[in-house]
Amino acid sequence: MPDLPDHKARDTDTAPLTEAQRRRRRAQFLRELAEARALRDRVQPRRAKVARLRHAMRMRTFRW
């Protein structure tokens, strides 16, 4: 994938991330994670349905 950072750039950048950079990277990660989940749900609909039902059961039995 061309948009992945190379390891050399990551090794030379040892300065701590600013808050804005951290938020931007986290937002990008969460977008990619959601995209991967959506793709998995399209490819494996039965597994996605089971996961949805399991999540719903977990939420029903969770106590505040």
Side-chain angles (χ1 to χ4, degrees):
M1 296 186 143
D3 58 343
L4 293 176
D6 58 344
H7 295 292
K8 287 181 261 180
R10 184 175 286 181
D11 291 340
T12 58
D13 186 24
T14 57
L17 294 175
T18 65
E19 189 68 21
Q21 289 172 325
R22 189 186 69 78
R23 285 187 182 152
R24 196 174 310 117
R25 288 183 62 186
R26 183 174 188 273
Q28 177 69 28
F29 170 77
L30 292 175
R31 276 194 302 272
E32 290 173 358
L33 183 63
E35 183 181 339
R37 283 186 178 146
L39 176 63
R40 186 181 63 197
D41 291 351
R42 282 196 308 270
V43 173
Q44 301 173 337
R46 184 179 298 161
R47 186 174 289 180
K49 181 180 178 184
V50 170
R52 264 196 318 277
L53 292 173
R54 212 175 274 137
H55 179 69
M57 181 63 73
R58 227 178 11 251
M59 295 309 287
R60 273 196 302 260
T61 59
F62 181 77
R63 291 180 179 252
W64 294 98

